[in-house]
Amino acid sequence: MSIYLSSLFFFSIPLSLAIAGWLVGRRQTDGHQAKNHGQRLLALSITLIVVFIGAVFTKVLWPSPQSQHYLSVSNLSMVMLALVLFMGMILIAFSRNYMASEPRLNLYWRWLLTTLAAVSLVVISNHLVLFWLGWVGISLALHKLLTFYPERPRAALAAHKKFLLARTAELCLLVAFVCLYQAHNTLFINELVEHFNRLASNPELTLTTNERIAAVLIALVALIKCAQLPVHGWLIQVVEAPTPVSALLHAGVINLGGFLLILFGPLLLQVSEAQWLVLIVAGLTTLISALIMTTRISQKVRLAWSTSAQMGLMLIECALGLFELALLHLLTHSAYKAYAFLNSGNAINEDLQRRLAPAQEPSIWDWVLAAMVATGLVMSAAYLIQYQGVWSIWLLFGLALTMLIAQRHSHQLKASLWPAIGLTFLLLTLYSTMKTLFAFVLPINPSLRVSPLSLADLWVMGLFLSLFIASGLLRYQAQRPWVQRLSMSLFAGLYLDEWLTRLTLKVWPLRLPTRANSKTLKPQVSIK
């Protein structure tokens, strides 16, 4: 009985968001009505959070095993739904003032709430059909938000490319789900995941051809959804959408690729083709996007490249079997990126502070001391929590801490080593605690763990070392001619988006908005 009550609570959330969105968007809204709508929507979001808390208490007080139910009440679904509601409440509160003077405000509220409703449906779906319908609904509703300013040519081009890529991903996901249904004759996700966990625990059982095809297609869908290279261009160009839309995209929607891999992780790790597809594409995306980000000046563009790199890192964690870490990464990245975009107007003040206190170049002894301290602290933390698994993530943590400790001073303030060590110790403690906590929230089959120092682990280590060395050269050896040439190529994004733009316009030419004289953009035109 409790699972029916919890499912009823959960289903009321996307349903209420969808109904509210279409009621608010029925007619044009003036300034006074916009303020009232904002207050009502804020009250709605608070009410939905109360409903969610009621669903959680129902599940905790009267637990029951989940069987064939269309909605999921798993720990993963509850965590993701809590994130959606939290972000939704923040976006609604922020949009009340930010979007108040927009003439098409009614359409903004309609498609914002519809997008949130579709995301809510995806994260609580336990049925492949519901999951796919919610996935399609997210893309269609988000397209309306990305084209909120239809007179902007770059926004129109970015939305056009996103539209085609989204249809491709949805088709791949549909084929993957059909393959899974043919292999198991069930549409319930929890039954499929339980079967894949049994396969992992029993080496005598093998995957069918349909299952292997489905795993590769699911990996491809996650890469497209997370804007991995070379299909990343639209993510960089949609920054012309309203700031709350950018926050919604970068802090919520784009994370669904990681959620998809976490959900079907037991299948992904048993198909080496799918696993290495993610490791190679997401790994190179993390390396290249992180380096390109350092060459950009525009605050929003930097954040967009950062999102591409962070999504690549999250997908790497999934391919290494670190699903609890990937979930932690998803939640923290969502919170950070929402704050970063909504606070992007403060970039001028932050830039002035950096100019007043420029960083001093660390000496060779600073690097050596920082590396020794970071290595000692990381190894001690791994020993204390009795860590057993891949070492590439700990290497990344050690490299990041090395950079943090080495850059502990500026021209104005010469800091001692102890505050940096204290901050490092605090970060390690928080990381270890949160990782352990999420291991209880999202228990993983030990048979799915990737072996330490395996080929996959060594590949990721090489990527992280390359990133550390290249970023140091770009920052502290910028006067060298070959570093300047590298910086120029990175500033151009290595021209990776050029061919996709030409291909997109060749497949489906785009008529630009009227302010571009209504000319059709031809395939031979290069979009910088």
Side-chain angles (χ1 to χ4, degrees):
M1 180 64 183
S2 63
I3 194 169
Y4 290 104
L5 188 57
S6 297
S7 299
L8 180 62
F9 275 129
F10 282 165
F11 184 69
S12 67
I13 293 174
L15 183 63
S16 300
L17 285 169
I19 293 175
W22 285 87
L23 288 178
V24 170
R26 282 190 309 173
R27 58 183 179 178
Q28 197 70 21
T29 307
D30 58 27
H32 180 68
Q33 290 175 329
K35 183 177 180 180
N36 291 336
H37 281 326
Q39 293 173 347
R40 293 167 186 168
L41 292 173
L42 187 59
L44 171 66
S45 61
I46 296 175
T47 302
L48 293 179
I49 290 179
V50 173
V51 172
F52 169 77
I53 295 174
V56 172
F57 273 107
T58 302
K59 181 179 182 296
V60 172
L61 294 178
W62 298 286
S64 62
Q66 179 174 335
S67 56
Q68 292 187 349
H69 290 278
Y70 291 93
L71 300 180
S72 171
V73 292
S74 64
N75 293 338
L76 176 61
S77 295
M78 289 193 296
V79 170
M80 291 298 297
L81 186 59
L83 174 65
V84 173
L85 292 177
F86 177 69
M87 291 298 168
M89 184 174 68
I90 291 176
L91 291 175
I92 289 173
F94 184 85
S95 300
R96 288 174 58 198
N97 295 324
Y98 187 89
M99 302 293 294
S101 60
E102 293 290 342
R104 303 170 65 241
L105 182 60
N106 59 323
L107 296 180
Y108 170 80
W109 285 122
R110 168 182 291 179
W111 296 115
L112 175 66
L113 294 183
T114 303
T115 303
L116 291 174
V119 174
S120 301
L121 180 61
V122 166
V123 299
I124 65 174
S125 293
N126 188 42
H127 196 273
L128 294 180
V129 175
L130 277 180
F131 190 100
W132 188 81
L133 290 176
W135 194 277
V136 175
I138 293 171
S139 178
L140 295 177
L142 183 63
H143 182 79
K144 297 293 185 179
L145 292 174
L146 296 180
T147 56
F148 185 76
Y149 297 124
E151 71 280 1
R152 298 183 177 182
R154 288 179 61 87
L157 176 62
H160 181 70
K161 291 194 292 185
K162 168 68 167 61
F163 186 85
L164 294 181
L165 289 171
R167 303 292 81 75
T168 302
E170 290 156 7
L171 180 60
C172 292
L173 189 62
L174 179 61
V175 174
F177 286 172
V178 170
C179 290
L180 291 178
Y181 175 74
Q182 290 179 343
H184 299 281
N185 198 30
T186 181
L187 293 172
F188 292 99
I189 297 175
N190 67 309
E191 294 182 356
L192 294 171
V193 174
E194 290 172 3
H195 173 75
F196 299 139
N197 278 315
R198 288 195 299 269
L199 284 178
S201 302
N202 191 348
E204 298 179 358
L205 301 177
T206 58
L207 292 171
T208 64
T209 302
N210 281 345
E211 289 173 322
R212 302 183 75 86
I213 293 174
V216 173
L217 290 175
I218 288 174
L220 182 61
V221 171
L223 292 170
I224 295 175
K225 192 68 175 180
C226 290
Q228 301 297 280
L229 300 177
V231 294
H232 64 290
W234 65 269
L235 180 68
I236 312 303
Q237 295 160 355
V238 296
V239 294
E240 293 200 26
T243 296
V245 177
S246 297
L248 170 66
L249 173 62
H250 290 262
V253 173
I254 201 170
N255 293 291
L256 291 176
F259 171 72
L260 180 66
L261 289 192
I262 294 173
L263 188 62
F264 289 97
L267 173 62
L268 171 74
L269 294 184
Q270 296 182 73
V271 181
S272 58
E273 296 86 353
Q275 182 185 20
W276 274 101
L277 175 63
V278 174
L279 284 173
I280 293 174
V281 177
L284 293 177
T285 298
T286 302
L287 173 63
I288 297 173
S289 297
L291 293 176
I292 292 175
M293 180 190 69
T294 63
T295 66
R296 296 309 176 104
I297 300 174
S298 170
Q299 179 75 357
K300 278 192 172 183
V301 173
R302 285 173 61 91
L303 290 174
W305 280 108
S306 170
T307 296
S308 182
Q310 291 290 337
M311 291 299 99
L313 180 57
M314 182 177 64
L315 296 182
I316 289 175
E317 293 161 355
C318 292
L320 292 176
L322 302 172
F323 296 109
E324 72 282 0
L325 180 59
L327 180 59
L328 173 61
H329 192 164
L330 189 155
L331 297 177
T332 53
H333 175 265
S334 296
Y336 159 71
K337 202 50 68 77
Y339 169 79
F341 269 98
L342 298 181
N343 190 51
S344 58
N346 198 36
I348 296 177
N349 294 331
E350 296 174 354
D351 183 67
L352 289 175
Q353 292 177 2
R354 286 192 295 267
R355 290 170 184 258
L356 292 174
Q360 180 178 345
E361 181 178 350
S363 65
I364 184 64
W365 295 111
D366 287 329
W367 288 110
V368 172
L369 181 61
M372 293 175 58
V373 172
T375 302
L377 290 173
V378 168
M379 296 298 293
S380 300
Y383 175 78
L384 289 175
I385 66 174
Q386 298 181 346
Y387 177 77
Q388 295 179 351
V390 296
W391 285 99
S392 50
I393 297 299
W394 286 97
L395 174 63
L396 176 62
F397 209 154
L399 293 175
L401 294 177
T402 299
M403 187 76 73
L404 174 66
I405 296 173
Q407 298 173 351
R408 66 188 183 276
H409 49 66
S410 66
H411 288 308
Q412 271 68 26
L413 178 62
K414 185 84 172 181
S416 66
L417 184 62
W418 294 109
I421 294 178
L423 178 60
T424 302
F425 180 78
L426 177 62
L427 291 175
L428 282 169
T429 303
L430 289 175
Y431 166 75
S432 302
T433 303
M434 296 299 293
K435 187 176 182 298
T436 304
L437 174 63
F438 276 85
F440 287 104
V441 174
L442 189 66
I444 304 298
N445 188 341
S447 304
L448 296 172
R449 297 292 186 184
V450 176
S451 302
L453 300 180
S454 61
L455 185 58
D457 198 16
L458 294 175
W459 161 256
V460 178
M461 284 184 177
L463 290 172
F464 292 158
L465 283 171
S466 301
L467 176 59
F468 179 80
I469 295 172
S471 59
L473 290 173
L474 288 172
R475 182 164 186 174
Y476 298 114
Q477 301 295 325
Q479 72 279 4
R480 298 181 180 272
W482 67 273
V483 176
Q484 292 176 356
R485 290 193 295 271
L486 175 61
S487 180
M488 292 175 61
S489 298
L490 291 172
F491 182 79
L494 300 182
Y495 305 99
L496 293 173
D497 186 48
E498 293 293 325
W499 73 269
L500 181 63
T501 301
R502 292 191 179 98
L503 178 62
T504 301
L505 296 175
K506 186 175 181 179
V507 173
W508 192 349
L510 171 65
R511 182 170 294 277
L512 289 175
T514 54
R515 90 177 190 183
N517 299 325
S518 300
K519 293 181 180 179
T520 301
L521 194 59
K522 300 298 182 181
Q524 64 270 20
V525 176
S526 176
I527 303 299
K528 299 296 183 182

